[in-house]
């Protein structure tokens, strides 16, 4: 697979999205976030989505000129509209607003509607945590994104409705929780298919609810993802419903029951200032203690050291910042073709 | 098993806790919440905990005269201390405070420390949702409550660190998410042991990390609960760590890394006023649509109708309000003995 430095990939993405009509700063936001997914080992949400984004820009589903606006606000809350810009841009703006309000008021909540794909949602609580706050994020997909059955059912009903939480970590990168409330994100099944491998055990069922590991049983439009938790799938299901109400109903784009022509990644963010509860030095001391204590857990026989949530991402980032990022050959071909068409210069592979 | 009306059980509990030194209103709160667990099908958190509570009152771990106080507050936040009263009392007071602040400020967060067992944590977001707000709850147990291994490890590290969310439901009881971030609450394993049955598949491992279904492999103090999610157990683990930081570090009682002599169910509550985001009529219409849409999901072959989160609890409540509540014979013997000793009148079994 071709391999590139993070900066050279950011330059390519910046060029592509600017050429497609995004303002320079917005293209920069998209480039930074796409590459941050690759850096952190979540290739499913990285460069491989670019061809699909370009298609949706051409179809008018993503509107590069969309200007994010505040539709309604109070000192602690706001609703933003992305006016159909890419979600990366609108959700990044929402992070700024939720942080501003939490700095002033200690706790805040912001909903965003009319925005397209937000990408890796962990990126937003990560930004909130890097600014010293606790960040929570809930993202739905309305009726456009029905992929997951209700627990006990056999019908595509909910989006993968991810949740993410970021917590400031004095030892380094934020403690980060970031996952779909389905067993996995749909892109992980697509990636398995692209790589010609089976999907994981328990990820999907076919159209009759029978367990399967063939990605095509899902990608054919008949199968579905399961809510996470296996026989305790009511746990993932309940989180998914909660996400639909926060990210859909409250943020204003609508729930999974609402028919939609386009993807609208309704996003709901909460920020909490830990210093309203505990002095920073004390927070840092206690979280440092907790992190060390968790890492010191005796590992399963033959297993590697126990990690804290977010460490998987941070280990990938540290390695890929140095070694570069591999991009699937097929993905790179498409991105390279689009770049050439748009007059964007391509980097050489590091290999 | 003996069977009693909800009201007669509330009367017994009220009498017992008042006789042990709780103020009338506080005993009423405890009685209401214990019976609400039995009513909702969560017997693990109902009457069967009374003997253990009485023991901990006698030992001084639970302080019936503890008065809940606000230690520090801002317009949107507060930290309360329960001064070692039973958690039911302190967390119920926290619900009042978080609601008051959310009514005024739209979003609020309250932490509570120095409180004993809070019982079924779903009860608190349920109260918040019944008051028309979205409620979130996170409860840790500090170093006293280490029962769950870190994902990938073989050592008791975290409490069962439950989360709960309540969302107003115009069709009836709140939409309710309420579960441990371990596969199950520890009391479910104890209940299996009392009933002489195996624990569920994947609930526990023995002291060497080997899967087992024998409750004693856990109750012997060596085995441990797993974070929920099976091979995706990093999902439950990440939530558990988040709970430890919100309910432990922020609320002020300390994380699982902190040694504690007594149980301190550090509790963190968030309340959000939906009307800061969407008009009540519109919220009601959209959530009604979502609930009907989820219930209409085609069920798995031979399976009952798909439920919404919280419907399990509500179905039990409706039935048990009418049919009464069965109490394990052994539990009833202990409660009856304590009642007699304390001069509390006992009801006749309905059978």
């Amino acid at each position: 697979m071709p391999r590139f430095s993070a900066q050279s990939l950011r330059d390519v993405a910046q060029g592509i999205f600017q050429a497609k009509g995004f303002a320079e700063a917005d293209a920069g936001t998209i480039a930074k976030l796409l590459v941050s997914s690759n850096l952190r080992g979540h290739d499913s949400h990285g460069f491989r989505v670019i061809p699909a984004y370009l298609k949706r820009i051409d179809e008018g589903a993503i509107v590069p000129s969309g200007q994010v606006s505040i539709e309604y606000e109070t000192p602690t809350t706001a609703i933003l509209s992305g006016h159909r810009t890419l979600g990366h841009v609108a959700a990044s703006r929402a992070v700024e607003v939720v942080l501003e309000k939490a700095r002033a008021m200690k706790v805040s909540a912001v909903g965003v509607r009319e925005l397209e794909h937000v990408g890796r949602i962990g990126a937003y609580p990560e930004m909130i945590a890097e600014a010293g706050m606790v960040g929570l994020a809930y993202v739905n997909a309305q009726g456009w994104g029905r992929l997951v059955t209700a627990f006990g059912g056999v019908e595509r009903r909910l989006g993968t409705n991810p949740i993410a939480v970021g917590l400031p970590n004095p030892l380094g990168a934020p403690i980060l929780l970031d996952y779909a409330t389905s067993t996995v994100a749909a892109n992980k099944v697509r990636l398995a298919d692209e790589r010609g491998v089976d999907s994981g055990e328990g990820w999907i069922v076919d159209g009759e609810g029978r367990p399967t590991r063939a990605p095509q049983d899902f990608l054919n439009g008949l199968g579905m993802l399961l809510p996470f938790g296996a026989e305790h799938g009511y746990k993932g299901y309940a989180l998914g419903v909660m996400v639909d109400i926060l990210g859909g109903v409250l943020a204003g784009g609508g729930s999974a029951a609402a028919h939609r022509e386009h993807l609208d990644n309704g996003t709901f963010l909460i920020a909490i200032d830990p210093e309203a509860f505990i002095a920073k030095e004390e927070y840092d001391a206690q979280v440092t203690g907790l992190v060390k204590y968790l890492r010191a857990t005796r590992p399963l026989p033959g297993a590697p050291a126990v990690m804290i949530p977010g460490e998987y991402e941070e280990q990938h980032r540290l390695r890929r910042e140095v070694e570069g990022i591999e991009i699937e050959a097929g993905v790179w071909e498409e991105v390279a073709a689009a770049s050439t068409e748009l007059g964007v210069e391509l980097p050489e592979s590091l290999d």
Side-chain angles (χ1 to χ4, degrees), chain A:
Chain A
M1 286 194 273
R3 193 163 52 84
F4 305 95
S5 74
Q7 188 53 51
S8 67
L9 290 179
R10 277 191 288 263
D11 291 342
V12 171
Q14 168 93 40
I16 289 175
F17 288 99
Q18 231 174 297
K20 295 301 277 189
F22 283 93
E24 186 178 346
D26 292 348
T29 297
I30 300 165
K32 185 190 72 179
L33 287 171
L34 286 178
V35 176
S36 92
S37 291
N38 287 115
L39 276 174
R40 286 168 177 75
H42 294 290
D43 296 321
S44 55
H45 291 68
F47 245 54
R48 71 170 287 287
V49 298
I50 291 179
Y53 287 177
L54 298 181
K55 186 160 172 282
R56 298 214 293 277
I57 292 169
D58 292 340
E59 291 167 356
I62 297 171
V63 179
S65 61
Q67 297 293 311
V68 185
S69 63
I70 296 181
E71 301 289 290
Y72 176 76
E73 65 179 324
T74 74
T76 56
T77 66
I79 304 181
L80 274 57
S81 171
H83 297 280
R84 305 220 49 74
T85 188
L86 193 55
H88 303 60
V89 175
S92 294
R93 176 77 186 111
V95 166
E96 292 173 6
V97 175
V98 87
L99 276 174
E100 201 177 296
K101 289 181 183 292
R103 281 195 194 101
M105 303 302 299
K106 309 305 173 198
V107 191
S108 62
V110 168
V112 201
R113 62 194 180 206
E114 292 295 318
L115 72 171
E116 241 262 358
H117 196 236
V118 296
R120 182 180 69 96
I121 79 155
Y124 309 106
E126 210 169 76
M127 292 178 204
I128 295 172
E130 279 164 358
M133 304 262 175
V134 174
L136 299 92
Y138 308 93
V139 175
N140 94 329
Q142 285 103 49
W144 190 89
R146 293 172 192 153
L147 296 168
V148 185
T149 184
F151 181 66
V154 195
E155 206 167 349
R156 291 181 171 203
R157 278 319 215 202
L158 291 168
T160 54
N161 290 9
I163 61 169
V165 179
L167 300 145
N169 175 10
L171 296 178
I175 296 172
L176 182 68
L177 170 167
D178 175 15
Y179 46 73
T181 56
S182 50
T183 41
V184 291
N187 275 347
K188 306 249 176 196
V189 184
R190 292 189 195 107
L191 193 61
D193 189 56
E194 285 165 17
R195 293 184 173 167
V197 300
D198 277 357
S199 75
E201 186 78 43
W203 289 7
I204 50 175
V205 291
D206 70 13
E208 298 307 313
R210 292 175 296 229
T212 173
R213 294 187 60 185
Q216 278 301 326
D217 284 342
F218 166 73
L219 298 173
N220 64 8
L222 299 174
M224 60 212 85
L225 293 164
L226 292 172
F228 83 82
E231 76 272 39
H232 299 284
Y234 60 88
K235 294 193 175 188
Y237 171 54
L239 276 177
V241 174
M242 169 206 180
V243 169
D244 227 55
I245 294 177
L246 293 180
V249 177
L250 260 60
S255 79
H259 174 72
R260 281 290 179 282
E261 293 293 330
H262 299 302
L263 170 63
D264 189 353
N265 258 171
T267 299
F268 196 84
L269 301 176
I270 300 173
I272 301 165
D273 184 352
E275 294 189 53
F277 297 91
I278 184 170
K280 186 172 184 314
E281 304 69 49
E282 186 56 25
Y283 177 92
D284 286 354
Q286 287 199 34
V287 172
T288 297
L290 178 63
V291 166
K292 288 184 175 172
Y293 163 83
L294 291 172
R295 282 195 182 133
T297 309
R298 179 160 66 100
L300 276 162
V306 165
M307 294 196 286
I308 59 159
E311 204 166 333
Y312 168 93
E313 285 81 359
E314 186 60 3
Q315 284 182 0
H316 277 78
R317 188 186 69 80
L318 291 171
R319 197 170 61 244
R320 292 184 174 187
E321 290 273 19
V322 174
E323 296 177 2
I325 295 164
E326 287 190 328
I327 304 290
E328 307 279 318
V331 171
W332 186 250
E333 259 174 53
E334 286 189 78
V335 171
S339 300
T340 305
E341 197 189 313
L342 295 165
V344 175
E345 205 181 331
L346 285 170
E348 296 284 319
S349 169
L350 293 173
D351 286 315

